[in-house]
């Protein structure tokens, strides 16, 4: 089997799991894609080590555009996307993602890694503890301008490390007492916006580094992108269907465990 076919096969296997998690938890899948795709690219020696991470992040964002679309369609059919809030949230994440994509090469990667890992760990612990609470504290949703400000930060940080935003957006929305399933549905829809505007930044900033004839659109590696989306598009609705039937405390625990695992991987790997 050729190296290219092996890459596509590995990415297709990765995409099948990522798609299900994207639908189940509204995370887009970047938390899983970035470390695993980086390992695949290093294993097959496709890129120099210093270019692997940014290519994995950009390719992850591009794949989330498709995965989140499939997931959001399924959540919309189940009535789990709060469209009265979504436009304001999408505006914030779009602005943050676009800025982050253009500035990606200038940001201190080690600092971002540590800050994100610590933040995600605290979020995971809070979510795990809240899953045990019988009477959670009710908090009022902030005004739409302030909500857009919060989600600008969320979108920027998400695009910076190649994730769809659910890892940060779902805890933010549930903190303000939005139903967990609706928060996941909203995160799926917003993942489309983060991926689109983040990808524009990575494609534009990477156009001088890689050529289309070598399989790249900016920093996005197209063969890996094809492998991921050829399976994730079909498994995302399965995860969304599971979200509709699983109890909220169980979803919160699954979400919290996944966040802890990925935070540890980002911190130490």
């Amino acid at each position: 089997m050729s190296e290219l076919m092996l890459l596509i096969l590995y990415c297709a296997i990765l995409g099948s799991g990522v798609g299900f998690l994207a639908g189940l938890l509204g995370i887009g899948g970047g938390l899983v894609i970035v470390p695993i795709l980086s390992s695949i690219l290093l294993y097959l020696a496709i890129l120099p080590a210093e270019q692997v991470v940014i290519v994995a992040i950009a390719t992850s964002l591009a794949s989330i555009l498709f995965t989140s679309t499939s997931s959001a369609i399924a959540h919309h059919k189940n009535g789990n996307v709060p469209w009265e809030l979504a436009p304001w949230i999408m505006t914030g994440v779009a602005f943050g993602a676009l800025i982050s994509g253009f500035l990606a090469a200038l940001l201190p990667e080690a600092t971002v890694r540590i800050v994100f890992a610590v933040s995600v760990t605290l979020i995971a612990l809070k979510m795990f503890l809240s899953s045990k609470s019988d009477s959670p504290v009710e908090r009022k949703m902030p005004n739409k301008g302030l909500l857009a400000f919060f989600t600008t930060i969320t979108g920027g940080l998400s695009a910076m490390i190649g994730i769809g935003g659910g890892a940060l957006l779902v805890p933010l929305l549930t903190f303000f007492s939005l139903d967990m399933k609706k928060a996941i549905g909203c995160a799926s829809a917003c993942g489309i916006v983060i991926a689109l505007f983040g990808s524009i930044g990575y494609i534009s900033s990477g156009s001088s580094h890689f050529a289309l004839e070598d399989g790249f659109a900016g920093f996005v590696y197209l063969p890996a992108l094809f492998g991921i989306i050829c399976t994730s598009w079909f498994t995302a609705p399965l995860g969304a269907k599971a979200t509709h039937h699983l109890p909220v405390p169980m979803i919160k625990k699954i979400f919290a465990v996944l966040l802890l695992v990925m935070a540890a991987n980002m911190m130490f790997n």
Side-chain angles (χ1 to χ4, degrees):
M1 186 180 294
S2 70
E3 185 178 271
L4 182 60
M5 291 302 296
L6 196 59
L7 169 79
I8 293 174
L9 175 62
Y10 287 155
C11 289
I13 295 170
L14 171 60
S16 63
V18 163
F20 184 82
L21 288 174
L24 178 67
L25 302 174
I27 60 170
L31 280 169
V32 180
I33 294 173
V34 173
I36 296 179
L37 181 56
S38 295
S39 299
I40 293 172
L41 294 174
L42 283 173
Y43 174 72
L44 296 176
I46 291 172
L47 291 164
E50 63 272 13
Q51 295 177 326
V52 161
V53 172
I54 194 166
V55 168
I57 289 172
T59 305
S60 169
L61 275 177
S63 72
I64 289 167
L65 180 59
F66 297 88
T67 305
S68 288
T69 298
S70 178
S71 175
I73 291 171
H75 279 292
H76 171 69
K77 289 179 179 177
N78 289 327
N80 284 337
V81 181
W83 290 113
E84 69 279 5
L85 296 175
W88 294 91
I89 297 172
M90 287 180 173
T91 299
V93 298
F95 185 65
L98 185 60
I99 293 173
S100 180
F102 279 110
L103 297 179
L106 304 177
L107 297 169
E109 185 268 342
T111 301
V112 172
R113 180 191 296 257
I114 293 170
V115 170
F116 181 81
V118 171
S119 300
V120 167
T121 299
L122 294 175
I123 290 168
L125 292 174
K126 175 70 172 63
M127 184 160 286
F128 186 80
L129 293 173
S130 70
S131 71
K132 298 181 176 182
S133 175
D134 295 326
S135 54
V137 177
E138 289 290 328
R139 299 182 182 88
K140 185 179 179 181
M141 188 70 66
N143 67 66
K144 293 174 180 177
L146 191 56
L147 183 61
F149 171 75
F150 286 147
T151 55
T152 296
I153 298 172
T154 299
L157 187 54
S158 298
M160 186 190 307
I161 56 175
I163 67 174
L168 302 177
L169 191 56
V170 171
L172 173 66
L173 295 177
T174 54
F175 177 81
F176 291 114
S177 304
L178 185 66
D179 176 75
M180 180 73 175
K181 295 177 182 180
K182 290 189 180 297
I184 289 173
C186 188
S188 294
C190 290
I192 302 170
V193 180
I194 292 175
L196 175 61
F197 284 87
S199 295
I200 290 171
Y202 280 107
I203 291 171
S204 299
S205 61
S207 58
S208 60
H209 294 77
F210 296 101
L212 185 62
E213 55 265 29
D214 295 324
F216 290 88
F219 285 120
V220 177
Y221 190 42
L222 298 176
L225 173 63
F226 171 76
I228 293 169
I229 65 175
C230 74
T231 53
S232 65
W233 178 270
F234 300 101
T235 56
L238 300 178
K241 187 175 181 179
T243 298
H244 193 60
H245 295 288
L246 288 175
V248 169
M250 181 181 293
I251 296 173
K252 284 189 173 184
K253 289 176 182 177
I254 295 172
F255 198 106
V257 169
L258 179 66
L259 291 183
L260 287 173
V261 170
M262 291 305 162
N265 180 78
M266 191 167 290
M267 179 76 82
F268 300 113
N269 221 348

